[in-house]
Amino acid sequence: MKEKIGIVDTLEERKPYITRKQEKGQEIPLACDNNSLAGAISQRACVYSGARVVLNPVTDAVHLVHGPIGCAGYTWDIRGAKSSGIETNRTSFSTDMKEIDVVFGGEKKLSSAIDELVELYHPPVIFVYSTCIVGIIGDDLESVCKTASQKHNIHVIPVKSEGFKGNKSDGYKAACDALKRLIKRPSEDEIKKKGPRVPDNIKPKINILGDFNVAGDVWLVKPLFEQMGIEVIVSMTGDSTAKAISRAAEADLNLVQCSGSMTYLAKWMQTEYGIPYLNASFFGIEDISLALRRTADYFGSEKMRERADRILEAEINRIMPEISRVRERVKGKKAAIYMGGPAKALTLIKGFAELGMEVVIIGTQTGKKEDYEQISYSVRDGTVIVDDANPLELAELLIRQKADLMVAGVKERFIAYKLGIAFCDFNHDRVVEFEGFDGFVNFAREVDASISSPVWKAVKERILKPEAVESEQKLGKIEKVAVKDMTSGENYAKECKGMLLKPELLHQKSEAAVESQV
Amino acid sequence: MTKRNYATVNPCVMCQPMGSALAFKGIENTMVLYHGSQGCSTYMRLLLAHHFREPVDIASSSLSEKGAVYGGRENLKKGLRNVINRYNPKVIGVATTCLAETIGDDVPAIIREFKEEQEIGDDPEKDIIIIPVSTPSYGESHVSGYIKALDAVVRKFTEKTEEEKSVKIPNGKLNVIPVESLSPADVRELKEIFDVMAGDYIFLPDISETFDAPLREDLPKIAPGGTPLSEIADMPNSRASLGLGTVSKNLAVKYLEESHGVPGYDVPIPIGLSNTDLFFTELVKIIGCPIPEKYQKERGRLLDAMVDVHKYLYGVKAAVYGDPDFVFSLTTFMLELGINPVLIATGSKSRDFEAKIRQIVEKINPELEPEVLNGIDFDTLNDAVSQCNPEVLIGNSNGRYIAKSRNIPLVRVGLPIHDRVGVQRILNIGYRGAMELLDRITNTILEATDTFTAPVQTEPAAYTEKKSEKECVEGMR
C-alpha cells in the first residue's frame, strides 16, 4: 500500500475523509456517512434541513415547523423550486415555541395551530416537522397529527426530523417516510399487473424522483418524456401537489435522479408495489441521452426507442454549436465540485468532460461508500475526493489543486471569491435551469461567464508594495528617475524617496503570492 | 382577517444565537461556536453569507442523539479543542442553542472544566478567552442575542476586584456601543466622525472590516479587524459610554456605569436630522469640542436636500418595519421629511417600542395615528398593510412578498437583505447617511409614480426622406 501523504493541513480526525485518487479503478478507503466532527465547521445542516429541502417543493402543502422561530425563519422559501400553480410552500409556518411551551409541552399549541391553518388555507396536506426541542420534550406528534387528520379529513403528516438525530441523510429518509403516507396504495390486482413491458397501445407511466424543479428544471425535462409517449405522473417533489403524489403508485417505472434523497422511497415502492426504478440524470448531453434511451429500452418498445433517438438527434444538433463555442473557450480549465448529494456530483463530472474541463476536486456532504467508489471510477488520477469538507479544507484544496472554477452552494461561493476563483452555483440559489438541453446550454454559458470575466485578471494583478518596489530596484528592474518628474507635490515626493515605477510595472502577476500563503 | 393565536406565518425575526454572532464577529480575532446541533450554525452562516457576501465561519458542537441524551459536555470540549487547533483565535464566543439549553448543559461549568484540562488561564494577554452566552431560540430574538453577547464580552474583559476598580487610570476615551447591527459602512462613517472630532474612542463591536473584508492576496482564517481586545479591557477607564439606541436596553452601557462608574448616555441610532443632531450634541457635551465645520456643512447639505424633495414626500404613506431601535430612528426621519409612517412594526417583541414610537409621533406629527405593531410576523404585517394602504415599504428583504403582491415599492434597509447587492455599503448613519437614505426613498417613490412621458420625437422631413446619393454629393459641394 502506498504511504498516505497529507493532502491538506487539517485535523487528525478529518484526515480519513480526504483522499486522492491514485490509480484507475482502485477502490478508495474514504471514511464517510458519519456525524460531523464538533468544531470542524461542516458545510452540512441538520436532519430537519434534509427533510425540509426534500419536502418543501410540494406546492400546495402547508409546511408547519413545530419548534422555535429560528428553524422556520432560516428555511423560509429556501429551495428556489418553481411551481406552475399554487405556491403555499413558499410561505413559512411555525408554532414559534416559547419557553412556556418548552416547559409545559407544545402539543396543544400545535393542534391549535393546525386548526387555524386549516381554516385559513384549506390545504390538502400539512407536513408537521419536528425540530430539536420537540425531540427533547417529547411532544407526541404522531397522535396530534392523527387526531387533526381525522378532525379535518385531510392528511396531517408528522415528519420526524429532530435536528440532532443523525445528519442530513436521515432527514431525506424522514421526508420519504412522509411521502409514503401520501401515496395511495393500489389494489392487489393493480400491483400484480406491473411489469416491464407495456403494450404499444397503452401509454406507459413514470414518476421522476429526486428533481426539485429548482429554477424550473423539470419543465425542460418532462416534455422529453411526453414526446416519447410517456406520461409523467409526478415529479417528486418539484412542482408537485398532494394529489399528484397520491397517484404515484400508478406508475410503471420510477426514474431516480437525486439518489441520496430518493433511493429509499424508490426501493420501498419496488418492494411494496412492484414498481422498479432506474437511476437517471437530466444534466449533460450524455446523461440525458442515457436517461431517455434506458427508459425506452425498459419499456421494450421499438417505436419509443426511435422517438427517443429522433429527439436526441434533433436536440443535440440544436445545441451543439453553442456547446462547442463554449468548449473552445473553457477547455483545459480545472473544476472543483462540492455538492450536497453524490448524484449531482457524479453527473457534473460528465458535464465538465463535455465542456472539455477536468475535475480536480470532488466532494459531497452526504455521500456513502458506494457513491465515493463510483466517483473514484469516474475521475482522473490525482483528483482529491473529500467527504463533509469544511471551509479551511476547501480553501486550501482550491489553491493546491489550482482550480479555475468551483461549483457548489452559497456558503462555498465566498470562499472561492476571496481566493480569486470563479464560482458557479448549482444549489437552491440559482435562477436559471441547468437540466435538459437548454439547461445544459445555460450551464455552459454560466461556466464561461464565470471563468472568462476580466475581474479574475484584475484580481490576480497586485499593486506592488513599497518593499517589493525596493527589491525590484535593487535588481535593476525599475529605474530610478528624478523625483521632480513624477509629481509636483513635495510631500508626496518625500514619501516616495525617489522610487518611480514605469506604469506597466505598477501591476504584477502574483499567482505565486497567493500560493505561498498556504 | 382571521385572527391567529398559535401559528406564526412568515417570521419577521431571527433567533438569539444569530444576534450573538453579529456581536462576536465585531471583535478582534474571535470565533463563534454554537453549542447545539449542526443545522443552527449552517443556517446562520448561510443567512449572514447571503447578507454580507462574505465567508462566515461559525463552528458547532454538532450535538448528536448521544449528546442530546447524555449531555453535550464532550462535544462542546471537542468543538473548542478543534476550533483552537484550526483557527487559533484569541476569543471564542460560545452561544447556546435551544437544544443545549433544553437538555440543561451547564456551559460555564463545562468551559471552566475545559480550561483547567487544557491549562488555559485567564490572562487576556496570553490566554484564549472563552465567553459563554445563553441564547435559546425560544427566548427572545436576534436583537436580545446581540445585546446579551456584547454584555457578556464587556463583563468578561473588565472583570476586576474591588481593589483593582479603585485604581482607575482614565484614558480620556469614549466607549461607543450600538444596539442592533449597523452596516459596515455605518460603522466606518461613525469612526470617521470620531476621528474628525479628535475624540479618542472605543467602538464595540466593530464590523467594518470583518463583515466587509477587502479582497487580499491571502484568505485569513479569521477576518482581520474588529474591536481590539486591549481596548475592550480599557473600557472601564473611559470618560463615558455612548449607547446608540434607546428602545432596547443597552446592557453593556448599563453594566459599565453600574459596575465601573463610567457614565452612560443613550441616544437614538443617528438616522435622520434630529437623531444625528442629538448624537452630535451629546458628543459635544462629552468630548467638549465643537461640531467640526465638515459636519455643519453636511447638515446644511442635508437640509438643502430635504428642501429639494419635500413636495415629493409630503403626506406619502409609508410602512416601516424591522428591528426596534432601527425602526424608531427611521420613523423619526420619516416624520421629519413629512412622510406619514402609517404603519410601524417590529418583529422583535420589545417592551418600550410602542410607547417610544407614540412619543415621537406625538412630538413631530400629532395628527398622525399610525398603526404600531410589536412582535409581529409578516402575515400580520401584510394584513395591516392592506388596511393602511401605504405607498412605500421601508424594511428588510423579507417584505418583498408583500411588496410584490400588492405592487408597493420596497426600500431595502436592515437585515436580512439577500436579494440586492451592496448591503455592506448601505449608509444610513449621520447627515451623509440621511442624505443617501433620503435619495433612495425619494427616487423609489419617483420611480413608482413616474408619469413622465417622453415627447414624441418627430424627425424633420429632411432626415426622414432619403436623399439620393447624387443630391448628397451635390450638397457637399
Side-chain angles (χ1 to χ4, degrees), chain A residues 4 13-19 28-34 367 372 386-388:
Chain A
K4 206 154 185 203
E13 285 173 87
R14 283 282 312 146
K15 285 186 177 155
Y17 295 84
I18 308 166
T19 190
I28 49 152
L30 185 74
C32 59
D33 205 14
N34 288 325
Y372 287 116
V386 55
D387 177 66
D388 189 20

PDB file of all heavy atoms in Angstrom, chain A residues 4 13-19 28-34 367 372 386-388:
ATOM      1  N   LYS A   4       0.427   7.061   2.862  1.00  0.00           N
ATOM      2  CA  LYS A   4      -0.528   8.160   2.746  1.00  0.00           C
ATOM      3  C   LYS A   4       0.149   9.485   3.089  1.00  0.00           C
ATOM      4  O   LYS A   4       0.694   9.658   4.172  1.00  0.00           O
ATOM      5  CB  LYS A   4      -1.703   7.911   3.684  1.00  0.00           C
ATOM      6  CG  LYS A   4      -2.933   8.600   3.187  1.00  0.00           C
ATOM      7  CD  LYS A   4      -4.157   7.888   3.688  1.00  0.00           C
ATOM      8  CE  LYS A   4      -5.360   8.545   3.057  1.00  0.00           C
ATOM      9  NZ  LYS A   4      -6.550   8.337   3.822  1.00  0.00           N
ATOM     10  N   GLU A  13      -8.535  13.879  12.973  1.00  0.00           N
ATOM     11  CA  GLU A  13      -9.768  13.088  12.803  1.00  0.00           C
ATOM     12  C   GLU A  13     -10.421  13.285  11.443  1.00  0.00           C
ATOM     13  O   GLU A  13     -11.289  12.523  11.045  1.00  0.00           O
ATOM     14  CB  GLU A  13     -10.783  13.460  13.893  1.00  0.00           C
ATOM     15  CG  GLU A  13     -10.445  12.897  15.252  1.00  0.00           C
ATOM     16  CD  GLU A  13     -11.372  13.434  16.319  1.00  0.00           C
ATOM     17  OE1 GLU A  13     -12.442  12.838  16.506  1.00  0.00           O
ATOM     18  OE2 GLU A  13     -11.040  14.455  16.940  1.00  0.00           O
ATOM     19  N   ARG A  14     -10.063  14.357  10.760  1.00  0.00           N
ATOM     20  CA  ARG A  14     -10.654  14.628   9.450  1.00  0.00           C
ATOM     21  C   ARG A  14      -9.882  13.922   8.326  1.00  0.00           C
ATOM     22  O   ARG A  14     -10.386  13.780   7.221  1.00  0.00           O
ATOM     23  CB  ARG A  14     -10.669  16.143   9.192  1.00  0.00           C
ATOM     24  CG  ARG A  14     -11.754  16.906   9.910  1.00  0.00           C
ATOM     25  CD  ARG A  14     -13.112  16.758   9.232  1.00  0.00           C
ATOM     26  NE  ARG A  14     -13.048  16.967   7.805  1.00  0.00           N
ATOM     27  CZ  ARG A  14     -13.807  16.329   6.928  1.00  0.00           C
ATOM     28  NH1 ARG A  14     -14.706  15.459   7.336  1.00  0.00           N
ATOM     29  NH2 ARG A  14     -13.684  16.560   5.637  1.00  0.00           N
ATOM     30  N   LYS A  15      -8.654  13.531   8.620  1.00  0.00           N
ATOM     31  CA  LYS A  15      -7.794  13.018   7.542  1.00  0.00           C
ATOM     32  C   LYS A  15      -8.376  11.820   6.777  1.00  0.00           C
ATOM     33  O   LYS A  15      -8.243  11.760   5.561  1.00  0.00           O
ATOM     34  CB  LYS A  15      -6.394  12.717   8.074  1.00  0.00           C
ATOM     35  CG  LYS A  15      -5.643  14.037   8.275  1.00  0.00           C
ATOM     36  CD  LYS A  15      -4.208  13.877   8.654  1.00  0.00           C
ATOM     37  CE  LYS A  15      -3.575  15.272   8.746  1.00  0.00           C
ATOM     38  NZ  LYS A  15      -2.421  15.306   9.637  1.00  0.00           N
ATOM     39  N   PRO A  16      -9.036  10.873   7.468  1.00  0.00           N
ATOM     40  CA  PRO A  16      -9.593   9.741   6.703  1.00  0.00           C
ATOM     41  C   PRO A  16     -10.689  10.152   5.715  1.00  0.00           C
ATOM     42  O   PRO A  16     -11.063   9.355   4.855  1.00  0.00           O
ATOM     43  CB  PRO A  16     -10.197   8.845   7.793  1.00  0.00           C
ATOM     44  CG  PRO A  16      -9.592   9.293   9.074  1.00  0.00           C
ATOM     45  CD  PRO A  16      -9.232  10.726   8.912  1.00  0.00           C
ATOM     46  N   TYR A  17     -11.185  11.377   5.838  1.00  0.00           N
ATOM     47  CA  TYR A  17     -12.292  11.802   4.977  1.00  0.00           C
ATOM     48  C   TYR A  17     -11.809  12.488   3.695  1.00  0.00           C
ATOM     49  O   TYR A  17     -12.602  12.963   2.911  1.00  0.00           O
ATOM     50  CB  TYR A  17     -13.226  12.754   5.745  1.00  0.00           C
ATOM     51  CG  TYR A  17     -13.922  12.078   6.903  1.00  0.00           C
ATOM     52  CD1 TYR A  17     -13.301  11.949   8.141  1.00  0.00           C
ATOM     53  CD2 TYR A  17     -15.202  11.547   6.749  1.00  0.00           C
ATOM     54  CE1 TYR A  17     -13.929  11.315   9.198  1.00  0.00           C
ATOM     55  CE2 TYR A  17     -15.840  10.909   7.792  1.00  0.00           C
ATOM     56  CZ  TYR A  17     -15.201  10.794   9.020  1.00  0.00           C
ATOM     57  OH  TYR A  17     -15.825  10.165  10.060  1.00  0.00           O
ATOM     58  N   ILE A  18     -10.498  12.587   3.579  1.00  0.00           N
ATOM     59  CA  ILE A  18      -9.949  13.244   2.393  1.00  0.00           C
ATOM     60  C   ILE A  18      -8.944  12.307   1.751  1.00  0.00           C
ATOM     61  O   ILE A  18      -8.050  11.804   2.417  1.00  0.00           O
ATOM     62  CB  ILE A  18      -9.233  14.560   2.771  1.00  0.00           C
ATOM     63  CG1 ILE A  18     -10.173  15.433   3.610  1.00  0.00           C
ATOM     64  CG2 ILE A  18      -8.786  15.318   1.529  1.00  0.00           C
ATOM     65  CD1 ILE A  18      -9.473  16.568   4.299  1.00  0.00           C
ATOM     66  N   THR A  19      -9.114  12.061   0.460  1.00  0.00           N
ATOM     67  CA  THR A  19      -8.169  11.152  -0.195  1.00  0.00           C
ATOM     68  C   THR A  19      -7.895  11.636  -1.611  1.00  0.00           C
ATOM     69  O   THR A  19      -8.502  12.589  -2.078  1.00  0.00           O
ATOM     70  CB  THR A  19      -8.700   9.701  -0.193  1.00  0.00           C
ATOM     71  OG1 THR A  19      -7.656   8.844  -0.612  1.00  0.00           O
ATOM     72  CG2 THR A  19      -9.892   9.547  -1.118  1.00  0.00           C
ATOM     73  N   ILE A  28     -11.173   3.228  -3.130  1.00  0.00           N
ATOM     74  CA  ILE A  28     -10.567   4.167  -2.188  1.00  0.00           C
ATOM     75  C   ILE A  28     -11.159   4.003  -0.800  1.00  0.00           C
ATOM     76  O   ILE A  28     -12.366   3.908  -0.634  1.00  0.00           O
ATOM     77  CB  ILE A  28     -10.727   5.623  -2.649  1.00  0.00           C
ATOM     78  CG1 ILE A  28     -12.183   5.894  -3.026  1.00  0.00           C
ATOM     79  CG2 ILE A  28      -9.799   5.946  -3.784  1.00  0.00           C
ATOM     80  CD1 ILE A  28     -12.550   7.299  -2.844  1.00  0.00           C
ATOM     81  N   PRO A  29     -10.329   3.955   0.200  1.00  0.00           N
ATOM     82  CA  PRO A  29     -10.828   3.779   1.557  1.00  0.00           C
ATOM     83  C   PRO A  29     -11.200   5.117   2.171  1.00  0.00           C
ATOM     84  O   PRO A  29     -10.514   5.614   3.053  1.00  0.00           O
ATOM     85  CB  PRO A  29      -9.633   3.143   2.278  1.00  0.00           C
ATOM     86  CG  PRO A  29      -8.428   3.670   1.538  1.00  0.00           C
ATOM     87  CD  PRO A  29      -8.865   4.078   0.172  1.00  0.00           C
ATOM     88  N   LEU A  30     -12.263   5.727   1.699  1.00  0.00           N
ATOM     89  CA  LEU A  30     -12.640   7.042   2.210  1.00  0.00           C
ATOM     90  C   LEU A  30     -13.677   6.883   3.324  1.00  0.00           C
ATOM     91  O   LEU A  30     -14.679   6.209   3.151  1.00  0.00           O
ATOM     92  CB  LEU A  30     -13.225   7.898   1.088  1.00  0.00           C
ATOM     93  CG  LEU A  30     -13.551   9.334   1.462  1.00  0.00           C
ATOM     94  CD1 LEU A  30     -12.286  10.159   1.600  1.00  0.00           C
ATOM     95  CD2 LEU A  30     -14.455   9.968   0.420  1.00  0.00           C
ATOM     96  N   ALA A  31     -13.417   7.508   4.452  1.00  0.00           N
ATOM     97  CA  ALA A  31     -14.401   7.490   5.527  1.00  0.00           C
ATOM     98  C   ALA A  31     -15.552   8.418   5.162  1.00  0.00           C
ATOM     99  O   ALA A  31     -15.342   9.460   4.550  1.00  0.00           O
ATOM    100  CB  ALA A  31     -13.756   7.938   6.824  1.00  0.00           C
ATOM    101  N   CYS A  32     -16.768   8.031   5.507  1.00  0.00           N
ATOM    102  CA  CYS A  32     -17.921   8.859   5.180  1.00  0.00           C
ATOM    103  C   CYS A  32     -19.132   8.414   5.986  1.00  0.00           C
ATOM    104  O   CYS A  32     -19.037   7.479   6.778  1.00  0.00           O
ATOM    105  CB  CYS A  32     -18.238   8.774   3.693  1.00  0.00           C
ATOM    106  SG  CYS A  32     -18.598   7.106   3.136  1.00  0.00           S
ATOM    107  N   ASP A  33     -20.259   9.095   5.768  1.00  0.00           N
ATOM    108  CA  ASP A  33     -21.534   8.704   6.361  1.00  0.00           C
ATOM    109  C   ASP A  33     -21.487   8.675   7.896  1.00  0.00           C
ATOM    110  O   ASP A  33     -22.062   7.809   8.531  1.00  0.00           O
ATOM    111  CB  ASP A  33     -21.957   7.327   5.817  1.00  0.00           C
ATOM    112  CG  ASP A  33     -23.475   7.134   5.883  1.00  0.00           C
ATOM    113  OD1 ASP A  33     -24.178   8.134   6.081  1.00  0.00           O
ATOM    114  OD2 ASP A  33     -23.930   5.990   5.758  1.00  0.00           O
ATOM    115  N   ASN A  34     -20.762   9.607   8.467  1.00  0.00           N
ATOM    116  CA  ASN A  34     -20.710   9.731   9.919  1.00  0.00           C
ATOM    117  C   ASN A  34     -21.231  11.099  10.346  1.00  0.00           C
ATOM    118  O   ASN A  34     -21.383  11.979   9.515  1.00  0.00           O
ATOM    119  CB  ASN A  34     -19.268   9.593  10.417  1.00  0.00           C
ATOM    120  CG  ASN A  34     -18.778   8.176  10.296  1.00  0.00           C
ATOM    121  OD1 ASN A  34     -19.531   7.234  10.474  1.00  0.00           O
ATOM    122  ND2 ASN A  34     -17.508   8.026   9.972  1.00  0.00           N
ATOM    123  N   GLY A 367     -22.374  11.812   0.851  1.00  0.00           N
ATOM    124  CA  GLY A 367     -22.073  10.619   0.064  1.00  0.00           C
ATOM    125  C   GLY A 367     -21.894   9.381   0.937  1.00  0.00           C
ATOM    126  O   GLY A 367     -21.506   9.478   2.096  1.00  0.00           O
ATOM    127  N   TYR A 372     -18.823   7.109  -3.253  1.00  0.00           N
ATOM    128  CA  TYR A 372     -17.438   7.531  -3.422  1.00  0.00           C
ATOM    129  C   TYR A 372     -16.661   6.544  -4.303  1.00  0.00           C
ATOM    130  O   TYR A 372     -15.753   6.921  -5.030  1.00  0.00           O
ATOM    131  CB  TYR A 372     -16.761   7.728  -2.066  1.00  0.00           C
ATOM    132  CG  TYR A 372     -17.258   8.989  -1.384  1.00  0.00           C
ATOM    133  CD1 TYR A 372     -17.962   8.938  -0.193  1.00  0.00           C
ATOM    134  CD2 TYR A 372     -17.049  10.240  -1.972  1.00  0.00           C
ATOM    135  CE1 TYR A 372     -18.435  10.091   0.414  1.00  0.00           C
ATOM    136  CE2 TYR A 372     -17.527  11.397  -1.375  1.00  0.00           C
ATOM    137  CZ  TYR A 372     -18.214  11.325  -0.179  1.00  0.00           C
ATOM    138  OH  TYR A 372     -18.690  12.465   0.399  1.00  0.00           O
ATOM    139  N   VAL A 386     -13.332  14.262  -1.253  1.00  0.00           N
ATOM    140  CA  VAL A 386     -13.492  14.675   0.145  1.00  0.00           C
ATOM    141  C   VAL A 386     -14.935  14.543   0.602  1.00  0.00           C
ATOM    142  O   VAL A 386     -15.863  14.838  -0.146  1.00  0.00           O
ATOM    143  CB  VAL A 386     -12.945  16.115   0.357  1.00  0.00           C
ATOM    144  CG1 VAL A 386     -13.585  17.100  -0.597  1.00  0.00           C
ATOM    145  CG2 VAL A 386     -13.157  16.600   1.797  1.00  0.00           C
ATOM    146  N   ASP A 387     -15.096  14.064   1.827  1.00  0.00           N
ATOM    147  CA  ASP A 387     -16.437  13.947   2.408  1.00  0.00           C
ATOM    148  C   ASP A 387     -16.605  14.986   3.510  1.00  0.00           C
ATOM    149  O   ASP A 387     -15.689  15.193   4.310  1.00  0.00           O
ATOM    150  CB  ASP A 387     -16.613  12.537   2.995  1.00  0.00           C
ATOM    151  CG  ASP A 387     -17.966  12.370   3.680  1.00  0.00           C
ATOM    152  OD1 ASP A 387     -18.982  12.422   2.956  1.00  0.00           O
ATOM    153  OD2 ASP A 387     -18.006  12.214   4.912  1.00  0.00           O
ATOM    154  N   ASP A 388     -17.758  15.639   3.550  1.00  0.00           N
ATOM    155  CA  ASP A 388     -18.111  16.575   4.632  1.00  0.00           C
ATOM    156  C   ASP A 388     -17.010  17.617   4.860  1.00  0.00           C
ATOM    157  O   ASP A 388     -16.563  17.822   5.991  1.00  0.00           O
ATOM    158  CB  ASP A 388     -18.386  15.779   5.924  1.00  0.00           C
ATOM    159  CG  ASP A 388     -18.968  16.653   7.023  1.00  0.00           C
ATOM    160  OD1 ASP A 388     -19.512  17.736   6.715  1.00  0.00           O
ATOM    161  OD2 ASP A 388     -18.879  16.260   8.203  1.00  0.00           O
TER     162      ASP A 388
END
